[in-house]
Amino acid sequence: MSEDVQDQPADGQTEQPDDSVSVVHKARRGPMLVTVAVVVAAIVVLYFLYDVFIGSRSVSTDNAYVAGEVAEVTPLTSGRVVEVMVTDTQPVRRGQILFRIDDSDQRIVLAQAKASMEYARRRYGQSLANDTALGAAADASETQIGAAQAKVASAEATLAKARTDYERRAALADSGAVSGEELTAAREALASAKAAANEAQAGLASARSNAISARRQEEAALALTRGTSVDTAPEVLLAKSRLATAELDLKRTIVRAPIDGVVAKRTIQVGQKVENGKPALAIVPVSQLYVDANFKEDQLGKVRSGQKAELTSDFYGDDVVFHGKVVGFAGGTGAAFSLIPAQNATGNWIKVVQRLPVRIELDPEELKAHPLRIGLSMEAKIDLTSKD
C-alpha cells in the first residue's frame, strides 16, 4: 500500500501521457494509409472484374427443391378392396397391378348388358320380319282395290239395267199394259240397285283408304330399319355401348400403375370400400423429376429458357453434379400465390425482394444413376452465356 501511495504524484493529479508516444510513428502513418488505400482499391477492382467477367456470367441460389408430376391413383369404380399388392416406397412399373376391387357387382351388370345386347339383336330381327309382313299387307290391300272396282262395275251395270226396266215399265203404265205391282217391283229393284251401287263405291273408297294406311304403316316400320344392319341399328348400338361400359367397369376393378415410379401416400387397406374418384395412393416418377429454383427477381434479367444449369444436392454433396436446362418460369412469385397474399397497399409497406420459381429439367440418365426424391434441397447455378 505504501508503495502505491508513493508512486502517485504529490499534488494528487494523474500523469498525462506523453504526446510523443504513439502506436504508429508519425513518419510511418503516410505510407501505411497509402498501402491501405491501395489494398482497398485492389479489392474493389478485383470485385469489379469478378462481377464483369465471372459473376455476371451466371446466377445461383440455394433456394431450390426437387419436384415432380406426382400421379394420383384413383379407382374409377366403387367396391371393396380384396387385395393390395404394393406398399409405400416400393418401385413399380407402368401396367403393374397395384390393388384389386371386388368385381361381383360389375360381373352382374356385365351379364345384364350381354342379355340386353342379345335382346336388341332379336328385336332388330323382329323389326325386319314386321317390315316384310307390313309390306305383304299393303300389297294385299292394294289387290282389294281391284275387287272393289269390279263390284262397283257390277253394281253400276245392275243399276243401269234396273233403271232401264223401270223407265220402260213407267212409260207403259198409263196405257195399262203394265200392272201397278210390276211397276212397283221395278221401282224397288231400281232403288235396290242404287243402294248396291253406293255400297260398292263406299267399298272401293274403303279399299283405297286401307291400302294407303297399310303402305304408310310399312313406310313407318321401314324408317326404323332403312339403311341399317343388325350391327348398325340404333338399339343395337345402344346395347353395345352399355356392354362396353360394363366391360370397362369390370376391367377397372384391377387397378394398375399409370407410370413408372415409387409408391407413396398409400391410404387403402384390404376390406376397405373405395369410392369412384377418391385417391388411393400416389406414384412419384423418380426418373422424371425436375427442380424448382426460386431466384431473386433481380437475378432473372438475363435468364432465358434453354440455358444450361448445374445443380448439386445436399443428399449427395458436391461430389455429384447434376446437369439440366431452364424450361420455363412460374406465372407469379411465391408471395402472389400464397394462401394469404401480402397487402402492399397498406401504410406499413416494406419492400421485400421477391423470388420467382424457375423450372430446371434434369438429365434422365443422371437421375437414373443418382436418384432423387421430391422435396430434397438443391443448389442451382444457371450459365447465362449458354444458349438452347
Side-chain angles (χ1 to χ4, degrees):
M1 290 294 292
S2 61
E3 293 178 357
D4 294 339
V5 173
Q6 292 175 357
D7 291 339
Q8 292 182 354
D11 57 359
Q13 295 181 350
T14 59
E15 288 185 345
Q16 297 295 327
D18 190 357
D19 292 340
S20 62
V21 179
S22 176
V23 176
V24 180
H25 196 276
K26 291 183 178 180
R28 298 178 58 188
R29 287 183 181 178
M32 183 172 292
L33 292 175
V34 173
T35 302
V36 172
V38 171
V39 171
V40 172
I43 292 174
V44 171
V45 171
L46 289 175
Y47 178 80
F48 175 77
L49 294 176
Y50 172 83
D51 184 64
V52 172
F53 295 100
I54 299 177
S56 62
R57 298 171 65 89
S58 65
V59 290
S60 61
T61 182
D62 59 357
N63 189 348
Y65 304 92
V66 179
E69 302 296 337
V70 178
E72 293 284 351
V73 178
T74 58
L76 299 179
T77 186
S78 301
R80 181 176 59 88
V81 178
V82 295
E83 188 177 9
V84 180
M85 283 86 161
V86 296
T87 186
D88 283 343
T89 74
Q90 178 179 338
V92 294
R93 304 289 296 177
R94 180 177 181 179
Q96 180 177 338
I97 297 177
L98 302 177
F99 60 93
R100 298 176 185 271
I101 300 174
D102 183 17
D103 59 2
S104 301
D105 294 339
Q106 287 77 7
R107 290 187 180 278
I108 293 174
V109 174
L110 178 60
Q112 293 174 345
K114 288 181 178 179
S116 297
M117 180 68 181
E118 183 61 26
Y119 180 71
R121 287 180 174 273
R122 292 177 181 270
R123 284 291 302 271
Y124 182 79
Q126 183 182 14
S127 296
L128 291 179
N130 189 43
D131 293 345
T132 302
L134 290 175
D139 294 339
S141 296
E142 290 179 351
T143 60
Q144 295 298 322
I145 295 177
Q149 289 175 340
K151 288 183 180 180
V152 169
S154 176
E156 288 179 348
T158 302
L159 175 60
K161 181 177 180 303
R163 182 179 289 109
T164 300
D165 291 344
Y166 173 75
E167 290 175 352
R168 186 170 58 248
R169 285 174 174 73
L172 298 175
D174 294 336
S175 62
V178 177
S179 64
E181 293 179 359
E182 187 175 357
L183 181 61
T184 300
R187 185 182 297 110
E188 291 177 353
L190 176 60
S192 177
K194 286 182 178 180
N198 291 334
E199 183 180 0
Q201 289 290 348
L204 177 60
S206 177
R208 286 174 175 171
S209 177
N210 290 337
I212 293 173
S213 176
R215 192 62 67 186
R216 294 292 181 270
Q217 291 179 2
E218 179 190 15
E219 292 176 356
L222 287 174
L224 297 176
T225 58
R226 184 180 293 113
T228 63
S229 65
V230 69
D231 293 322
T232 60
E235 62 269 25
V236 175
L237 291 177
L238 179 60
K240 277 184 178 180
S241 66
R242 291 173 177 170
L243 177 60
T245 300
E247 290 174 342
L248 185 59
D249 286 341
L250 178 61
K251 183 178 179 181
R252 285 172 172 171
T253 58
I254 300 176
V255 182
R256 300 177 182 272
I259 59 173
D260 298 342
V262 174
V263 176
K265 297 192 303 182
R266 200 196 87 174
T267 60
I268 59 170
Q269 302 293 338
V270 174
Q272 177 183 346
K273 188 178 186 301
V274 294
E275 299 295 335
N276 185 353
K278 184 178 180 181
L281 54 89
I283 297 180
V284 180
V286 293
S287 62
Q288 301 175 10
L289 299 179
Y290 53 85
V291 171
D292 281 333
N294 302 299
F295 285 93
K296 295 179 181 179
E297 53 188 319
D298 55 6
Q299 292 179 296
L300 298 175
K302 296 182 180 180
V303 177
R304 300 290 184 271
S305 294
Q307 290 177 340
K308 297 180 180 179
E310 292 184 355
L311 306 100
T312 57
S313 170
D314 294 348
F315 188 76
Y316 293 106
D318 295 338
D319 295 336
V320 177
V321 178
F322 293 89
H323 297 83
K325 67 176 181 178
V326 178
V327 295
F329 302 83
T333 64
F337 292 115
S338 64
L339 184 61
I340 304 178
Q343 296 297 323
N344 293 332
T346 62
N348 298 325
W349 174 75
I350 299 176
K351 182 177 181 180
V352 178
V353 177
Q354 301 297 314
R355 289 181 179 268
L356 184 71
V358 177
R359 180 162 296 187
I360 300 175
E361 186 180 73
L362 298 175
D363 186 348
E365 295 298 326
E366 294 180 350
L367 277 175
K368 185 177 180 181
H370 299 90
L372 295 172
R373 294 295 184 268
I374 290 179
L376 292 178
S377 299
M378 303 286 287
E379 293 186 8
K381 180 180 179 181
I382 299 175
D383 183 1
L384 301 179
T385 63
S386 62
K387 296 182 180 179
D388 188 8

